[in-house]
């Protein structure tokens, strides 16, 4: 089994009309065994910027909460006295990952944010920082192939926040149901310029 | 074949571990205590490579004491768990420790807690956790019978059910277990479950 599939994960982000949604599954496993069903894969960097990391859980924790990303943004905030733009943050993550080119963090990030004029921005990258920008949706994790299919089928441009929530939730749940290593519910953040709505989904708990 | 498991109850946390020291097919001793008392209100149940297990847990224990001496207050369970994870994560890409840890603790403000830390430094706060081949039996048994806010008696009953399951279904089941508890009164031994006592040979 590949080391990327050791813990199991699924993350997806979608663009709407002046809003975005980012969602992940909640399973933490060790190969075939499920350890926990409330694992946090998505971190808030600031009110209009979220990052979801799929892949090896220990590296997810090292990058997100513990060391690199939240910490680096806090330093940036102190120096620049403002929040980082999503494009800038994506470049930062890409650089951090490429620093470890020959001994990489085994994660694939999905970054979603509202940029200037509240224009939504999403991107994903591989474990060594190769950025992939998209206008509609990005996916990563063990369920990524199913997520590509489900998102492609369900996505429409310029959805409002409520419809976007429905779409991303259905895409996530139907994809993780076909992947034994991810699932046990979902965690969805829908972000508009004025508010962040965080919701927990109850899907097939198996 | 090392079995370590634990759960959180009402105002306390319990961890149990087998007590066999094994080297290939030989059982060196069957009363090896694998649950270390980290400080007055913390327990660390560790399983894995014997050398790493002792070295790493002692290292964590001494650093936790050092913090207390330097700063005058003890670390919280969450802080100690995060410190442990950090040490494992740093060592992971240099010379990794092969130790899986269940850290149980009691804090005034947040009550009892249990942290699952595996050998590649994955940290998660859990209500019940287990490592090793025994986990296939103990986790399922705990999933079936565990409830929030169990009393000590109910929790011990559940621990005994898990031990019974491991003894009856695991092919090389460890004969003896130690159970330790941590609550507002501190971390201490609770009981030993021994099916094979150490035999002392008569002098020849």
């Amino acid at each position: 089994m590949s080391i990327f599939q050791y813990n199991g994960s699924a993350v997806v982000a979608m663009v709407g009309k002046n809003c975005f949604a980012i969602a992940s599954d909640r399973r933490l496993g060790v190969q075939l065994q499920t350890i926990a069903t409330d694992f946090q894969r998505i971190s808030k960097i600031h009110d209009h910027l979220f990052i979801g990391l799929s892949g090896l859980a220990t590296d997810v924790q090292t990058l997100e909460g513990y060391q690199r990303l939240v910490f680096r943004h806090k330093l940036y905030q102190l120096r620049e006295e403002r929040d980082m733009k999503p494009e800038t943050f994506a470049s930062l993550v890409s650089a951090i990952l490429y620093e470890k080119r020959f001994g990489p963090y085994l994660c694939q990030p999905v970054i979603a944010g509202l940029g200037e004029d509240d224009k939504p921005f999403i991107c994903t990258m591989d474990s060594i920082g190769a950025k992939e920008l998209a206008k509609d949706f990005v996916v990563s994790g063990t369920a990524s192939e199913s997520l590509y299919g489900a998102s492609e089928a369900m996505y429409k441009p310029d959805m409002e926040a409520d419809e976007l929530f429905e779409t991303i939730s259905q895409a996530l749940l139907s994809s993780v149901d076909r992947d034994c290593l991810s699932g046990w519910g979902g965690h969805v953040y829908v972000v508009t310029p004025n508010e962040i709505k965080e919701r927990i989904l109850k899907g097939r708990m198996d | 074949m090392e079995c370590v498991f634990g759960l959180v109850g009402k105002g306390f946390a319990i961890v149990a571990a087998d007590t066999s020291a094994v080297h290939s097919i030989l059982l060196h001793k069957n009363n090896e205590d694998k649950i270390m008392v980290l400080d007055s209100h913390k327990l660390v149940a560790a399983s894995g490579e014997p050398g790493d297990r002792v070295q790493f847990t002692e290292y964590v224990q001494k650093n936790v004491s050092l913090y207390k001496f330097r700063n005058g207050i003890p670390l919280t369970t969450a802080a100690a768990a995060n410190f442990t994870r950090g040490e494992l994560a740093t060592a992971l890409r240099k010379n990794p420790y092969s130790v899986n840890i269940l850290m149980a603790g009691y804090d005034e403000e947040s009550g009892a807690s249990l942290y699952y830390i595996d050998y590649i430094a994955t940290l998660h706060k859990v209500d019940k956790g287990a490592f090793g081949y025994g986990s296939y039996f103990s986790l399922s048994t705990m999933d079936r019978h565990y409830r929030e806010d169990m009393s000590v008696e109910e929790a011990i009953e559940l621990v005994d059910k898990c031990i019974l399951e491991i003894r009856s279904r695991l092919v090389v089941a460890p004969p003896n277990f130690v159970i330790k508890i941590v609550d507002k009164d501190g971390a201490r031994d609770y009981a030993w479950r021994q099916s094979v006592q150490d035999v002392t040979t008569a002098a020849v």
Side-chain angles (χ1 to χ4, degrees):
Chain A
M1 197 191 259
S2 146
I3 189 69
F4 286 104
Q5 296 169 332
Y6 186 75
N7 295 122
S9 51
V11 184
V12 56
M14 283 188 182
V15 162
K17 195 174 169 69
N18 294 334
C19 63
F20 69 85
I22 183 166
S24 76
D25 74 317
R26 307 188 78 206
R27 178 181 179 270
L28 173 70
V30 171
Q31 296 188 306
L32 58 93
Q33 191 177 61
T34 300
I35 301 299
T37 56
D38 57 357
F39 189 66
Q40 274 273 58
R41 262 186 195 96
I42 298 178
S43 279
K44 185 174 94 157
I45 304 295
H46 62 72
D47 278 345
H48 292 157
L49 181 57
F50 283 74
I51 181 166
L53 284 155
S54 68
L56 196 62
T58 176
D59 285 345
V60 168
Q61 290 178 325
T62 301
L63 278 174
E64 275 184 356
Y66 293 85
Q67 269 143 63
R68 308 279 118 89
L69 302 175
V70 174
F71 162 70
R72 295 286 288 262
H73 181 257
K74 283 183 182 172
L75 276 184
Y76 182 94
Q77 255 179 343
L78 285 171
R79 282 196 211 110
E80 303 268 326
E81 292 176 5
R82 65 179 177 86
D83 289 334
M84 230 189 233
K85 279 191 260 186
E87 295 84 359
T88 316
F89 184 70
S91 296
L92 171 67
V93 176
S94 176
I96 287 172
L97 292 174
Y98 197 79
E99 264 177 358
K100 302 279 184 202
R101 169 64 177 83
F102 298 108
Y105 292 112
L106 298 157
C107 303
Q108 286 121 335
V110 162
I111 295 165
L114 286 176
E116 250 154 82
D117 304 322
D118 296 328
K119 191 166 176 305
F121 168 89
I122 51 169
C123 86
T124 184
M125 52 191 87
D126 68 4
S127 57
I128 48 173
K131 260 187 289 187
E132 223 183 271
L133 306 176
K135 290 199 172 66
D136 39 18
F137 57 85
V138 287
V139 306
S140 93
T142 49
S144 59
E145 275 143 7
S146 299
L147 278 166
Y148 272 125
S151 305
E152 192 71 67
M154 297 184 198
Y155 181 81
K156 297 193 313 277
D158 288 328
M159 283 185 279
E160 297 288 343
D162 289 327
E163 204 191 344
L164 186 64
F165 166 70
E166 282 300 326
T167 308
I168 202 175
S169 306
Q170 293 296 348
L172 179 71
L173 287 177
S174 61
S175 307
V176 302
D177 283 349
R178 280 291 184 183
D179 176 23
C180 55
L181 297 173
S182 55
W184 282 91
H187 211 132
V188 186
Y189 292 85
V190 180
V191 181
T192 56
N194 307 316
E195 65 165 355
I196 302 168
K197 263 225 183 90
E198 181 185 343
R199 291 186 190 88
I200 308 273
L201 303 172
K202 184 149 189 218
R204 276 185 66 115
M205 305 302 233
D206 65 2
Chain B
M1 309 300 173
E2 293 195 357
C3 306
V4 171
F5 60 95
L7 57 115
V8 172
K10 193 178 174 71
F12 69 92
I14 275 188
V15 281
D18 78 287
T19 57
S20 326
V22 171
H23 200 118
S24 169
I25 57 165
L26 176 66
L27 185 72
H28 278 297
K29 63 189 288 216
N30 56 15
N31 55 1
E32 168 84 2
D33 189 354
K34 295 177 189 170
I35 305 181
M36 170 183 276
V37 175
L38 204 67
D39 75 7
S40 63
H41 285 77
K42 289 181 200 48
L43 289 171
V44 168
S47 77
E49 192 79 53
D52 281 348
R53 171 169 56 78
V54 174
Q55 289 285 71
F56 184 70
T57 51
E58 279 185 8
Y59 173 71
V60 173
Q61 186 190 53
K62 301 318 170 199
N63 272 280
V64 168
S65 301
L66 182 62
Y67 181 94
K68 186 171 168 205
F69 291 137
R70 277 187 180 149
N71 300 291
I73 50 164
L75 279 169
T76 59
T77 314
N82 277 288
F83 169 73
T84 307
R85 190 215 99 89
E87 291 302 306
L88 282 169
T90 310
L92 180 63
R93 285 173 157 93
K94 293 188 185 129
N95 57 344
Y97 295 105
S98 310
V99 196
N100 297 310
I101 284 171
L102 276 177
M103 188 180 286
Y106 183 87
D107 308 299
E108 279 295 317
E109 308 81 34
S110 39
S113 50
L114 181 66
Y115 288 87
Y116 170 104
I117 309 167
D118 82 2
Y119 74 103
I120 47 173
T122 308
L123 170 70
H124 200 70
K125 184 170 183 299
V126 292
D127 286 333
K128 45 185 163 24
F131 285 108
Y133 286 117
S135 69
Y136 293 119
F137 309 103
S138 49
L139 269 183
S140 313
T141 310
M142 288 193 285
D143 280 339
R144 171 69 182 83
H145 296 293
Y146 178 85
R147 288 180 329 274
E148 292 268 329
D149 289 336
M150 291 170 87
S151 68
V152 180
E153 293 72 32
E154 289 169 331
I156 290 295
E157 229 182 274
L158 179 50
V159 167
D160 281 327
K161 277 200 179 85
C162 293
I163 293 175
L164 182 63
E165 203 60 39
I166 291 170
R167 276 191 181 144
S168 52
R169 288 298 186 181
L170 184 57
V171 62
V172 198
N176 300 339
F177 285 81
V178 61
I179 305 172
K180 296 200 182 178
I181 188 172
V182 59
D183 61 14
K184 63 173 172 25
D185 300 322
R188 57 192 182 280
D189 258 39
Y190 184 87
W192 284 67
R193 299 282 187 249
Q194 289 176 310
S195 61
V196 173
Q197 306 274 16
D198 241 337
V199 177
T200 45
T201 52
V204 179

mmCIF file of all heavy atoms in Angstrom, chain A residues 71-93:
data_model
loop_
_atom_site.group_PDB
_atom_site.id
_atom_site.type_symbol
_atom_site.label_atom_id
_atom_site.label_comp_id
_atom_site.label_asym_id
_atom_site.label_seq_id
_atom_site.Cartn_x
_atom_site.Cartn_y
_atom_site.Cartn_z
ATOM 1 N N PHE A 71 1.565 29.054 11.769
ATOM 2 C CA PHE A 71 2.641 29.827 12.392
ATOM 3 C C PHE A 71 3.212 30.862 11.430
ATOM 4 O O PHE A 71 3.390 32.032 11.770
ATOM 5 C CB PHE A 71 3.704 28.828 12.856
ATOM 6 C CG PHE A 71 5.056 29.400 13.145
ATOM 7 C CD1 PHE A 71 5.257 30.206 14.242
ATOM 8 C CD2 PHE A 71 6.136 29.098 12.337
ATOM 9 C CE1 PHE A 71 6.513 30.717 14.523
ATOM 10 C CE2 PHE A 71 7.394 29.604 12.610
ATOM 11 C CZ PHE A 71 7.581 30.411 13.703
ATOM 12 N N ARG A 72 3.484 30.432 10.195
ATOM 13 C CA ARG A 72 4.070 31.351 9.211
ATOM 14 C C ARG A 72 3.122 32.486 8.885
ATOM 15 O O ARG A 72 3.529 33.637 8.723
ATOM 16 C CB ARG A 72 4.421 30.600 7.918
ATOM 17 C CG ARG A 72 5.486 29.560 8.048
ATOM 18 C CD ARG A 72 6.872 30.116 8.196
ATOM 19 N NE ARG A 72 7.379 30.688 6.974
ATOM 20 C CZ ARG A 72 8.188 30.053 6.123
ATOM 21 N NH1 ARG A 72 8.559 28.820 6.364
ATOM 22 N NH2 ARG A 72 8.599 30.670 5.041
ATOM 23 N N HIS A 73 1.823 32.162 8.818
ATOM 24 C CA HIS A 73 0.870 33.241 8.530
ATOM 25 C C HIS A 73 0.787 34.220 9.679
ATOM 26 O O HIS A 73 0.654 35.431 9.479
ATOM 27 C CB HIS A 73 -0.526 32.690 8.199
ATOM 28 C CG HIS A 73 -1.481 33.786 7.882
ATOM 29 N ND1 HIS A 73 -2.436 34.223 8.780
ATOM 30 C CD2 HIS A 73 -1.594 34.589 6.798
ATOM 31 C CE1 HIS A 73 -3.101 35.219 8.234
ATOM 32 N NE2 HIS A 73 -2.617 35.464 7.034
ATOM 33 N N LYS A 74 0.868 33.716 10.902
ATOM 34 C CA LYS A 74 0.837 34.632 12.058
ATOM 35 C C LYS A 74 2.023 35.592 12.019
ATOM 36 O O LYS A 74 1.895 36.782 12.313
ATOM 37 C CB LYS A 74 0.852 33.830 13.358
ATOM 38 C CG LYS A 74 -0.481 33.219 13.694
ATOM 39 C CD LYS A 74 -0.432 32.487 15.029
ATOM 40 C CE LYS A 74 -1.783 31.844 15.301
ATOM 41 N NZ LYS A 74 -1.769 30.966 16.457
ATOM 42 N N LEU A 75 3.186 35.067 11.652
ATOM 43 C CA LEU A 75 4.363 35.935 11.533
ATOM 44 C C LEU A 75 4.141 36.997 10.459
ATOM 45 O O LEU A 75 4.470 38.173 10.648
ATOM 46 C CB LEU A 75 5.584 35.102 11.133
ATOM 47 C CG LEU A 75 6.369 34.393 12.222
ATOM 48 C CD1 LEU A 75 7.574 33.709 11.607
ATOM 49 C CD2 LEU A 75 6.821 35.359 13.291
ATOM 50 N N TYR A 76 3.580 36.548 9.323
ATOM 51 C CA TYR A 76 3.298 37.472 8.215
ATOM 52 C C TYR A 76 2.359 38.570 8.669
ATOM 53 O O TYR A 76 2.564 39.746 8.386
ATOM 54 C CB TYR A 76 2.673 36.673 7.069
ATOM 55 C CG TYR A 76 2.356 37.460 5.822
ATOM 56 C CD1 TYR A 76 3.271 37.526 4.780
ATOM 57 C CD2 TYR A 76 1.135 38.107 5.671
ATOM 58 C CE1 TYR A 76 2.978 38.220 3.626
ATOM 59 C CE2 TYR A 76 0.835 38.803 4.517
ATOM 60 C CZ TYR A 76 1.755 38.858 3.496
ATOM 61 O OH TYR A 76 1.457 39.548 2.354
ATOM 62 N N GLN A 77 1.323 38.164 9.426
ATOM 63 C CA GLN A 77 0.348 39.141 9.935
ATOM 64 C C GLN A 77 1.017 40.167 10.829
ATOM 65 O O GLN A 77 0.686 41.350 10.801
ATOM 66 C CB GLN A 77 -0.716 38.418 10.757
ATOM 67 C CG GLN A 77 -2.020 38.279 10.076
ATOM 68 C CD GLN A 77 -3.016 37.537 10.924
ATOM 69 O OE1 GLN A 77 -2.672 36.855 11.883
ATOM 70 N NE2 GLN A 77 -4.265 37.660 10.576
ATOM 71 N N LEU A 78 1.949 39.704 11.660
ATOM 72 C CA LEU A 78 2.627 40.637 12.559
ATOM 73 C C LEU A 78 3.471 41.633 11.775
ATOM 74 O O LEU A 78 3.491 42.821 12.068
ATOM 75 C CB LEU A 78 3.523 39.868 13.533
ATOM 76 C CG LEU A 78 2.795 39.145 14.665
ATOM 77 C CD1 LEU A 78 3.761 38.241 15.421
ATOM 78 C CD2 LEU A 78 2.133 40.121 15.612
ATOM 79 N N ARG A 79 4.166 41.122 10.751
ATOM 80 C CA ARG A 79 5.054 42.002 9.980
ATOM 81 C C ARG A 79 4.289 42.924 9.045
ATOM 82 O O ARG A 79 4.561 44.105 8.957
ATOM 83 C CB ARG A 79 6.017 41.157 9.141
ATOM 84 C CG ARG A 79 7.150 40.584 9.939
ATOM 85 C CD ARG A 79 8.269 40.111 9.009
ATOM 86 N NE ARG A 79 8.954 38.989 9.620
ATOM 87 C CZ ARG A 79 8.894 37.748 9.194
ATOM 88 N NH1 ARG A 79 8.175 37.429 8.141
ATOM 89 N NH2 ARG A 79 9.538 36.792 9.826
ATOM 90 N N GLU A 80 3.352 42.360 8.294
ATOM 91 C CA GLU A 80 2.673 43.137 7.251
ATOM 92 C C GLU A 80 1.411 43.847 7.744
ATOM 93 O O GLU A 80 0.877 44.692 7.041
ATOM 94 C CB GLU A 80 2.275 42.202 6.095
ATOM 95 C CG GLU A 80 3.417 41.441 5.494
ATOM 96 C CD GLU A 80 4.040 42.169 4.322
ATOM 97 O OE1 GLU A 80 3.293 42.838 3.591
ATOM 98 O OE2 GLU A 80 5.249 42.064 4.149
ATOM 99 N N GLU A 81 0.950 43.465 8.933
ATOM 100 C CA GLU A 81 -0.264 44.054 9.506
ATOM 101 C C GLU A 81 -1.481 43.858 8.617
ATOM 102 O O GLU A 81 -2.359 44.706 8.536
ATOM 103 C CB GLU A 81 -0.062 45.543 9.825
ATOM 104 C CG GLU A 81 0.929 45.739 10.964
ATOM 105 C CD GLU A 81 1.227 47.197 11.237
ATOM 106 O OE1 GLU A 81 0.602 48.070 10.616
ATOM 107 O OE2 GLU A 81 2.094 47.450 12.083
ATOM 108 N N ARG A 82 -1.511 42.754 7.896
ATOM 109 C CA ARG A 82 -2.695 42.401 7.129
ATOM 110 C C ARG A 82 -2.687 40.893 6.885
ATOM 111 O O ARG A 82 -1.683 40.230 7.132
ATOM 112 C CB ARG A 82 -2.742 43.151 5.788
ATOM 113 C CG ARG A 82 -1.620 42.781 4.849
ATOM 114 C CD ARG A 82 -1.728 43.546 3.526
ATOM 115 N NE ARG A 82 -0.592 43.219 2.678
ATOM 116 C CZ ARG A 82 -0.547 42.181 1.860
ATOM 117 N NH1 ARG A 82 -1.578 41.365 1.771
ATOM 118 N NH2 ARG A 82 0.529 41.946 1.116
ATOM 119 N N ASP A 83 -3.820 40.377 6.376
ATOM 120 C CA ASP A 83 -3.891 38.948 6.069
ATOM 121 C C ASP A 83 -3.244 38.661 4.723
ATOM 122 O O ASP A 83 -3.200 39.512 3.846
ATOM 123 C CB ASP A 83 -5.358 38.490 6.017
ATOM 124 C CG ASP A 83 -5.987 38.464 7.384
ATOM 125 O OD1 ASP A 83 -5.253 38.311 8.374
ATOM 126 O OD2 ASP A 83 -7.228 38.588 7.455
ATOM 127 N N MET A 84 -2.780 37.419 4.579
ATOM 128 C CA MET A 84 -2.143 37.026 3.313
ATOM 129 C C MET A 84 -3.182 36.806 2.233
ATOM 130 O O MET A 84 -4.256 36.278 2.514
ATOM 131 C CB MET A 84 -1.420 35.703 3.537
ATOM 132 C CG MET A 84 -0.007 35.681 3.076
ATOM 133 S SD MET A 84 0.596 33.998 3.167
ATOM 134 C CE MET A 84 2.042 34.246 4.103
ATOM 135 N N LYS A 85 -2.839 37.168 1.012
ATOM 136 C CA LYS A 85 -3.734 36.851 -0.111
ATOM 137 C C LYS A 85 -3.653 35.368 -0.405
ATOM 138 O O LYS A 85 -2.593 34.764 -0.235
ATOM 139 C CB LYS A 85 -3.299 37.620 -1.365
ATOM 140 C CG LYS A 85 -3.771 39.053 -1.414
ATOM 141 C CD LYS A 85 -3.522 39.634 -2.779
ATOM 142 C CE LYS A 85 -2.252 40.458 -2.696
ATOM 143 N NZ LYS A 85 -1.901 41.206 -3.871
ATOM 144 N N PRO A 86 -4.735 34.762 -0.912
ATOM 145 C CA PRO A 86 -4.682 33.316 -1.170
ATOM 146 C C PRO A 86 -3.586 32.929 -2.162
ATOM 147 O O PRO A 86 -2.924 31.906 -1.986
ATOM 148 C CB PRO A 86 -6.064 33.001 -1.747
ATOM 149 C CG PRO A 86 -6.933 34.103 -1.312
ATOM 150 C CD PRO A 86 -6.071 35.308 -1.148
ATOM 151 N N GLU A 87 -3.370 33.752 -3.181
ATOM 152 C CA GLU A 87 -2.345 33.410 -4.175
ATOM 153 C C GLU A 87 -0.967 33.383 -3.525
ATOM 154 O O GLU A 87 -0.143 32.512 -3.806
ATOM 155 C CB GLU A 87 -2.340 34.448 -5.322
ATOM 156 C CG GLU A 87 -3.604 34.483 -6.159
ATOM 157 C CD GLU A 87 -4.705 35.343 -5.561
ATOM 158 O OE1 GLU A 87 -4.521 35.912 -4.465
ATOM 159 O OE2 GLU A 87 -5.762 35.434 -6.211
ATOM 160 N N THR A 88 -0.736 34.364 -2.654
ATOM 161 C CA THR A 88 0.550 34.432 -1.946
ATOM 162 C C THR A 88 0.730 33.221 -1.061
ATOM 163 O O THR A 88 1.793 32.607 -1.011
ATOM 164 C CB THR A 88 0.594 35.695 -1.072
ATOM 165 O OG1 THR A 88 0.085 36.785 -1.814
ATOM 166 C CG2 THR A 88 1.996 35.978 -0.588
ATOM 167 N N PHE A 89 -0.348 32.869 -0.338
ATOM 168 C CA PHE A 89 -0.276 31.717 0.555
ATOM 169 C C PHE A 89 0.003 30.445 -0.224
ATOM 170 O O PHE A 89 0.786 29.592 0.224
ATOM 171 C CB PHE A 89 -1.580 31.592 1.356
ATOM 172 C CG PHE A 89 -1.552 30.485 2.353
ATOM 173 C CD1 PHE A 89 -0.760 30.576 3.488
ATOM 174 C CD2 PHE A 89 -2.306 29.344 2.165
ATOM 175 C CE1 PHE A 89 -0.724 29.548 4.412
ATOM 176 C CE2 PHE A 89 -2.289 28.310 3.084
ATOM 177 C CZ PHE A 89 -1.491 28.413 4.209
ATOM 178 N N ALA A 90 -0.632 30.319 -1.377
ATOM 179 C CA ALA A 90 -0.391 29.126 -2.191
ATOM 180 C C ALA A 90 1.078 29.044 -2.591
ATOM 181 O O ALA A 90 1.690 27.966 -2.551
ATOM 182 C CB ALA A 90 -1.285 29.146 -3.431
ATOM 183 N N SER A 91 1.660 30.186 -2.941
ATOM 184 C CA SER A 91 3.085 30.181 -3.289
ATOM 185 C C SER A 91 3.937 29.825 -2.086
ATOM 186 O O SER A 91 4.947 29.121 -2.200
ATOM 187 C CB SER A 91 3.502 31.553 -3.808
ATOM 188 O OG SER A 91 2.820 31.836 -4.997
ATOM 189 N N LEU A 92 3.532 30.297 -0.898
ATOM 190 C CA LEU A 92 4.267 29.964 0.326
ATOM 191 C C LEU A 92 4.248 28.464 0.577
ATOM 192 O O LEU A 92 5.292 27.847 0.853
ATOM 193 C CB LEU A 92 3.652 30.698 1.522
ATOM 194 C CG LEU A 92 4.175 30.297 2.899
ATOM 195 C CD1 LEU A 92 5.618 30.688 3.061
ATOM 196 C CD2 LEU A 92 3.339 30.933 4.002
ATOM 197 N N VAL A 93 3.053 27.859 0.463
ATOM 198 C CA VAL A 93 2.936 26.420 0.695
ATOM 199 C C VAL A 93 3.773 25.656 -0.322
ATOM 200 O O VAL A 93 4.483 24.708 0.012
ATOM 201 C CB VAL A 93 1.458 25.974 0.624
ATOM 202 C CG1 VAL A 93 1.353 24.470 0.763
ATOM 203 C CG2 VAL A 93 0.648 26.646 1.709
#
